[in-house]
Amino acid sequence: MYGMVNRAIKDYLITRYGNTLWETVLQHSQATEESFLSMSQYPDELTVSLLVEAAKATDQDIEKTLQDVGEFWVEFALNSNYGALLRATGNTIREVLENLDNLHSRLVSAFPELTPPSFWCSDTRHPNTRQPDSEYLEALELHYFSQREGLSNFVIGLVSGIAKMCNEDCRVTLLRNRKDLTDHDTFLVEYSTSNQ
Ligand code: HEM
């Protein structure tokens, strides 16, 4: 993956846990000081090794680590050169989720070797939808296609990060894993806008 992703993991660890923990993770992973150039490509195994060592050092399971890094990614991207692009993707969680392919397509000029994921949204007949006593007022199904495996929890964190960016509350649940004989992951995203 592009070094920008490794950089986000590094920033996440330093911001949340400090430099000492970061140095330990760096030492035990396959990464070196040179693995963080945003516009360079590195093997996915290097990124995986950073995540595995991060999970060990923070005493969390890999799923929780992926989720936390996903949530952090949105904050990180907002503060990067691509913050304006991300903001322009939409004002509501639904708008942003519906425009994710557009966002990654626009990034191809900056990251020519990008292997982007693909997302689409569909309506859901989830029982909570439109029930007056539901904590969440809206719901959609998010479909995630990827050439990479094992990133479901990263997506769960990313969606939470998007909700924060849009000042909305959300709950994300994995409905169908692509291991369950489908070619993609499907998430239920329940959400409501705080100023509704
Ligand atoms: C301006 C904001 C963003 C930038 C600059 C960006 C950039 C990138 C980059 C460089 C990669 C690595 C892919 C590769 O090296 O081949 C990536 C992967 C990914 N991005 Fe984005 N991204 C942004 C926003 C988002 C958002 C908001 C989501 C929300 C769902 C998202 C979902 C993902 C996922 C799931 C992957 C993993 C790749 C895979 O499944 O194969 N990205 N992105």
Side-chain angles (χ1 to χ4, degrees), residues 1-2 4-5 41 73-74 77 82 86 100 103-104 107 111 113-117 119 144 146-148 151 154-155 158 162:
M1 288 215 214
Y2 272 97
M4 185 175 175
V5 178
Q41 268 276 12
W73 172 263
V74 176
Y82 310 99
L86 179 54
L100 284 174
L103 170 70
H104 282 105
L107 289 165
F111 301 92
E113 291 167 66
L114 195 73
T115 314
F119 292 91
Y144 164 54
S146 173
Q147 295 191 22
R148 299 180 169 95
L151 293 177
F154 183 54
V155 173
L158 282 161
I162 293 169

Side-chain angles (χ1 to χ4, degrees), residues 15-16 20 25-26 33 60-61 65-66 78 106 110 119 123 130 139 143 154 161 164 168 180:
T15 313
R16 299 281 151 86
T20 313
V25 170
L26 180 61
E33 294 290 353
Q60 299 199 91
D61 56 33
T65 305
L66 274 167
L78 282 172
R106 282 163 185 246
F119 292 91
D123 286 327
R130 286 187 277 279
H143 303 266
F154 183 54
K164 263 193 195 162
E168 296 184 3
D180 306 332

Side-chain angles (χ1 to χ4, degrees), residues 21-196:
L21 184 131
W22 162 244
E23 291 298 336
T24 310
V25 170
L26 180 61
Q27 244 175 35
H28 290 93
S29 73
Q30 292 172 20
T32 64
E33 294 290 353
E34 288 81 48
S35 308
F36 304 93
L37 296 173
S38 287
M39 306 323 247
S40 299
Q41 268 276 12
Y42 303 93
D44 281 9
E45 293 71 37
L46 193 155
T47 310
V48 171
S49 79
L50 279 170
L51 289 164
V52 167
E53 292 306 325
K56 276 190 208 158
T58 58
D59 212 11
Q60 299 199 91
D61 56 33
I62 190 80
E63 280 76 21
K64 174 80 170 89
T65 305
L66 274 167
Q67 203 171 316
D68 285 356
V69 172
E71 192 166 333
F72 184 83
W73 172 263
V74 176
E75 215 177 299
F76 174 82
L78 282 172
N79 290 317
S80 76
N81 291 342
Y82 310 99
L85 187 63
L86 179 54
R87 287 219 178 274
T89 306
N91 294 318
T92 64
I93 187 166
R94 184 166 195 128
E95 256 174 37
V96 176
L97 295 178
E98 281 176 340
N99 283 317
L100 284 174
D101 282 9
N102 220 335
L103 170 70
H104 282 105
S105 312
R106 282 163 185 246
L107 289 165
V108 171
S109 52
F111 301 92
E113 291 167 66
L114 195 73
T115 314
S118 180
F119 292 91
W120 60 276
C121 299
S122 62
D123 286 327
T124 176
R125 279 169 289 147
H126 181 74
N128 269 352
T129 315
R130 286 187 277 279
Q131 279 190 9
D133 58 346
S134 166
E135 192 187 334
Y136 298 94
L137 299 174
E138 311 277 349
L140 58 79
E141 283 184 18
L142 177 69
H143 303 266
Y144 164 54
F145 297 78
S146 173
Q147 295 191 22
R148 299 180 169 95
E149 283 187 32
L151 293 177
S152 314
N153 284 278
F154 183 54
V155 173
I156 292 179
L158 282 161
V159 176
S160 302
I162 293 169
K164 263 193 195 162
M165 175 178 94
C166 300
N167 281 323
E168 296 184 3
D169 285 328
C170 82
R171 178 170 60 194
V172 190
T173 321
L174 181 62
L175 288 180
R176 283 181 296 279
N177 192 300
R178 68 177 183 173
K179 287 183 204 132
D180 306 332
L181 298 177
T182 61
D183 57 351
H184 69 280
D185 288 346
T186 306
F187 301 90
L188 173 68
V189 181
E190 296 164 276
Y191 60 100
S192 38
T193 309
S194 41
N195 52 11
Q196 256 172 347

